[in-house]
Amino acid sequence: MNDPMNGHGPDERGQFVSGDVAWGGRYMPEALIAELDELTRVWTEAMVDPTFTGEFQRMLAEYANVPSPLYDATRISEQAGARILLKREDLNHTGAHKIRNVLGQALLAKRMGKTRMIAETGAGQHGVATATAAAYLSLDCVVYMGKVDTERQALNVARMNLLGAEVVAVDSGSQTLKDAINEAIRDWVATVEHTAYCFGTAAGPHPFPAMVRDFCRGIGDEARAQVLELTGALPDVVTACVGGGSNAIGMFTAFLDDEVRIVGFEAGGDGVDTDRHAATIYAGEAGVLHGARTYVLQDEDGQTIESHSISAGLDYPGVGPQHAYLAHTGRAEYQPVTDAEAMDALALLARTEGIICAIESAHALAGSLRLAAENPGSTILVNLSGRGDKDMGTAIEWFGLGRPQ
Amino acid sequence: MSVTSTATAFERTRAEGRAALVGYLPAGYPDVPGAIEALKVMVEAGCDIIEIGLPYSDPVMDGPTIQAAAQQALEGGIRTADVLRTVEAVAATGTPTLVMTYWNPIERFGVERFAQGLVDAGGAGLITPDLTPDSAAPWIEAADARDLDKVFLVAPSSTDERIAMTTAASRGFVYATAVMGVTGARASTSDLAGPLVARAKATTNLPIGVGLGVSNGTQAAEVAGYADAVIVGSAFVRTLLDAGTDRQAGLAALRKLTEDLADGVRRG
């Protein structure tokens, strides 16, 4: 953690430069620039302050159950024809990698003297994680959630309420994640003096993409050491699902300088040949969304197009700018995985290994099974970013579960 | 078409010893012709400069009023070309006309292409709420090549260094956001605006306009006491939203509000 930038950017303006494209940066109202500068300064200092990094590591270990284990998934490997290693982020407190990011940002908020933390959430996972960290560190918490999502995810709204957070239903625009982000930014413009914005993914304006990456990079750092210990070699391929891309960049960062193939799997929804998907890198075009230059699903006038995925966590029409950069430079590949492929993988993992993973993570697994078929005998490290309890409603509907047979 | 510049408007208002009234409406609300008609009423009733909003799907600096109108414009199928058409119709009145827009639609349309389209339509320039000068190199280049106004924003939270950088990059006038918050009419004017205008004025001879929150003549007079322009948006949009489908009533209310505000900037 001695080099917050890890030698992989961004530059001091928050840009990941590839050829003539500067991904990332800061396309934000002037009113927030001073705060973003201050956040950058405090974060940069904190990451080389042993008091901060020690406290962060202590919280991760004692509270969040980190490091998560690496699991040699021999039964599914047998079916896949390749060795599948699962990084079990689903076993973290609150059930996903996201606890790493929110604990980091909440600790930073305390360091900056903030008393209130706001967040956006889609299905509610980041909202629950933020509410958890806010409760743990005694911060007031308000979570913005699209009205449509609050209705679809009433259980998570209840969890946030139980944790002491206020949930605001956002009824503007498409009433989903991107509108929740817009509303959180609007709140922040007015409350920035005492409020921290705990952004849920490695996207948005600088320093969020790099900051969220660095709070999540333990995933890859741990997994790399765990794989070396288990197999004596690096994996052939490292994979993760990509929505905004925090779990993916957290996994990939440790392997950027290795001779390891890196593949991210985006939500292909009904298929990338339909208009119902969230394959931002595969099907989007360069633009600016939520403060960063990145790939965006947009129409010919630059209006954001609504994304679609069975997985709420991947249902976002933008993507973190470092992923755009890695795709543009060719260092990482990004492929779409459809709803159906993901749900098949989810069922297979449940039956072969007794693990019900999140539908987001099932995208990573599904794509990895495809890679396994193409490269038999290879070793594939998959980030199993979250657990599937939250997705049972979707699974019941998709598979027709719970009916007498 | 010859472009009427904002500089011309400010020369006139300064000669008259008063602040300018800058009025905003989004293009395409209630529809493209309806917005043009409304903007012309604002010109007739006393706006010195017009800002036309380019409706965008993700307007992070706008409060509920402008969001609602912009959303309806988008649902009505407004295109970027329609915005330029609206500019052309309003600029033809001889009143300097700017476009206020989030950045992505301009980039998508093509920065050079939009800048040229603006010139061809008689537009005076752009106001860019989510584009600061340090990220604006392509726009600055395109604008400078065509003598278009570049109106950047300063905020109460801006450092002195950033205010100096922003005013140095601006052309036409500088937009001072009076409050920390999004657009929307407010009951009282902000005590943050006066000091911000003073800080901006210390760095530039450009006129300083104050926006965010002004909704009536009394507030306009107060702001006109220390600013070169009073910028009003949500209050205008509100009159149209409140009138609903009764367009004539909406236009009448719009005219009355414009007259009140125009009177206010003359009292300041």
Side-chain angles (χ1 to χ4, degrees):
Chain A
M1 241 183 227
N2 283 336
D3 172 16
M5 297 303 180
N6 193 35
H8 287 285
D11 65 18
E12 61 188 18
R13 300 184 55 206
Q15 302 179 134
F16 300 89
V17 180
S18 162
D20 59 354
V21 188
W23 303 97
R26 216 182 246 173
Y27 295 83
M28 286 301 271
E30 170 64 20
L32 287 173
I33 301 290
E35 179 69 11
L36 292 168
D37 277 341
E38 178 66 3
L39 178 60
T40 306
R41 187 184 67 76
V42 174
W43 160 64
T44 306
E45 283 175 11
M47 294 305 266
V48 293
D49 176 356
T51 313
F52 181 88
T53 54
E55 180 67 359
F56 182 48
Q57 292 306 327
R58 184 194 64 76
M59 293 194 313
L60 286 176
E62 291 179 5
Y63 185 70
N65 202 28
V66 161
S68 59
L70 182 78
Y71 174 63
D72 198 350
T74 53
R75 283 169 297 275
I76 205 168
S77 295
E78 213 169 284
Q79 295 210 12
R83 189 173 189 183
I84 305 286
L85 303 175
L86 302 177
K87 176 63 172 165
R88 296 290 307 276
E89 287 291 295
D90 58 315
L91 296 176
N92 297 351
H93 181 42
T94 72
H97 74 286
K98 286 182 181 294
I99 192 71
R100 297 176 185 260
N101 173 38
V102 297
L103 286 178
Q105 290 200 50
L107 195 57
L108 211 51
K110 295 291 272 191
R111 190 180 173 100
M112 294 177 79
K114 306 290 186 186
T115 57
R116 177 175 178 263
M117 196 154 66
I118 57 171
E120 81 293 344
T121 196
Q125 292 307 106
H126 173 60
V128 169
T130 304
T132 300
Y136 181 54
L137 290 175
S138 307
L139 292 159
D140 293 335
C141 183
V142 175
V143 178
Y144 289 92
M145 187 169 185
K147 188 159 179 293
V148 171
D149 292 330
T150 60
E151 286 156 11
R152 287 193 293 209
Q153 304 286 341
L155 187 62
N156 270 341
V157 174
R159 290 170 78 192
M160 287 183 267
N161 289 154
L162 195 56
L163 290 159
E166 180 192 343
V167 179
V168 178
V170 176
D171 60 4
S172 60
S174 57
Q175 307 187 1
T176 58
L177 175 60
K178 79 175 180 65
D179 306 286
I181 294 176
N182 296 341
E183 207 56 40
I185 293 174
R186 290 178 190 123
D187 176 315
W188 204 32
V189 172
T191 60
V192 63
E193 212 170 308
H194 58 83
T195 295
Y197 183 3
C198 184
F199 200 63
T201 191
H206 180 60
F208 287 108
M211 187 173 78
V212 173
R213 172 197 67 193
D214 288 349
F215 287 141
C216 291
R217 64 165 297 176
I219 302 168
D221 289 338
E222 294 160 20
R224 190 175 182 280
Q226 288 165 324
V227 174
L228 281 171
E229 195 186 326
L230 179 73
T231 71
L234 289 171
D236 299 301
V237 191
V238 174
T239 70
C241 63
V242 180
S246 63
N247 92 82
I249 205 67
M251 176 60 110
F252 295 168
T253 297
F255 297 93
L256 291 175
D257 295 325
D258 294 326
E259 285 189 26
V260 169
R261 187 177 172 196
I262 295 175
V263 187
F265 294 102
E266 300 188 295
D270 290 350
V272 287
D273 51 346
T274 73
D275 59 1
R276 290 177 58 83
H277 62 77
T280 307
I281 294 176
Y282 186 86
E285 297 190 56
V288 170
L289 179 65
H290 293 141
R293 176 175 311 287
T294 187
Y295 288 105
V296 181
L297 295 178
Q298 54 181 321
D299 70 14
E300 48 184 308
D301 279 356
Q303 308 289 350
T304 310
I305 295 173
E306 244 179 277
S307 55
H308 288 277
S309 169
I310 193 167
S311 145
L314 304 182
D315 197 353
Y316 179 57
V319 65
Q322 193 173 358
H323 289 296
Y325 164 83
L326 291 171
H328 197 246
T329 59
R331 176 62 189 94
E333 303 158 52
Y334 296 84
Q335 302 176 7
V337 165
T338 63
D339 289 354
E341 289 175 294
M343 295 308 283
D344 285 351
L346 185 134
L348 182 66
L349 185 68
R351 286 174 195 185
T352 54
E353 301 285 356
I355 299 170
I356 298 175
C357 70
I359 301 176
E360 289 81 1
S361 320
H363 283 71
L365 183 64
S368 300
L369 294 173
R370 205 160 66 197
L371 296 180
E374 293 162 13
N375 306 278
S378 58
T379 301
I380 302 175
L381 171 61
V382 184
N383 192 19
L384 206 70
S385 56
R387 70 175 181 226
D389 307 42
K390 69 185 177 63
D391 292 320
M392 286 316 296
T394 308
I396 287 167
E397 209 171 302
W398 181 272
F399 296 114
L401 305 173
R403 294 174 197 151
Q405 290 177 357
Chain B
M1 181 181 292
S2 73
V3 177
T4 313
S5 72
T6 49
T8 314
F10 280 110
E11 274 165 30
R12 195 183 70 238
T13 57
R14 275 180 173 169
E16 291 173 18
R18 64 172 177 94
L21 175 61
V22 181
Y24 166 99
L25 280 184
Y29 177 78
D31 51 32
V32 175
I36 291 172
E37 200 179 355
L39 285 157
K40 284 182 172 172
V41 165
M42 287 161 62
V43 168
E44 284 166 22
C47 282
D48 301 293
I49 295 169
I50 291 291
E51 288 177 16
I52 295 173
L54 193 156
Y56 175 52
S57 51
D58 296 276
V60 296
M61 269 299 280
D62 286 310
T65 303
I66 291 178
Q67 279 179 51
Q71 178 75 22
Q72 191 173 321
L74 287 169
E75 282 163 10
I78 180 103
R79 305 288 311 268
T80 303
D82 297 321
V83 177
L84 289 171
R85 197 148 61 80
T86 305
V87 170
E88 187 164 14
V90 177
T93 64
T95 298
T97 303
L98 300 114
V99 171
M100 184 157 191
T101 181
Y102 294 91
W103 187 239
N104 197 51
I106 303 304
E107 196 171 283
R108 186 75 174 145
F109 193 83
V111 179
E112 287 287 325
R113 183 177 163 224
F114 191 87
Q116 191 53 46
L118 202 52
V119 170
D120 295 343
L126 275 190
I127 304 168
T128 50
D130 68 347
L131 187 73
T132 52
D134 40 350
S135 297
W139 160 237
I140 290 172
E141 198 179 311
D144 288 349
R146 297 170 177 85
D147 288 336
L148 287 166
D149 286 342
K150 301 161 289 179
V151 180
F152 293 108
L153 282 66
V154 292
S157 59
S158 302
T159 60
D160 289 343
E161 191 188 3
R162 288 197 62 84
I163 288 177
M165 182 275 289
T166 303
T167 59
S170 297
R171 184 182 186 276
F173 64 101
V174 177
Y175 191 130
T177 54
V179 293
M180 289 299 286
V182 296
T183 59
R186 287 169 172 82
S188 57
T189 51
S190 154
D191 55 2
L192 298 174
L196 175 60
V197 170
R199 289 167 70 210
K201 279 194 173 292
T203 67
T204 183
N205 291 321
L206 285 174
I208 312 294
V210 168
L212 298 195
V214 177
S215 62
N216 60 48
T218 308
Q219 288 176 338
E222 195 185 312
V223 172
Y226 55 80
D228 302 301
V230 179
I231 304 168
V232 181
S234 297
F236 285 131
V237 177
R238 185 83 259 162
T239 61
L240 297 184
L241 284 170
D242 285 348
T245 54
D246 187 348
R247 291 199 182 185
Q248 288 316 310
L251 293 176
L254 190 67
R255 184 180 297 277
K256 191 155 171 276
L257 176 62
T258 309
E259 286 167 354
D260 181 33
L261 291 161
D263 180 55
V265 298
R266 285 165 174 80
R267 278 186 277 131

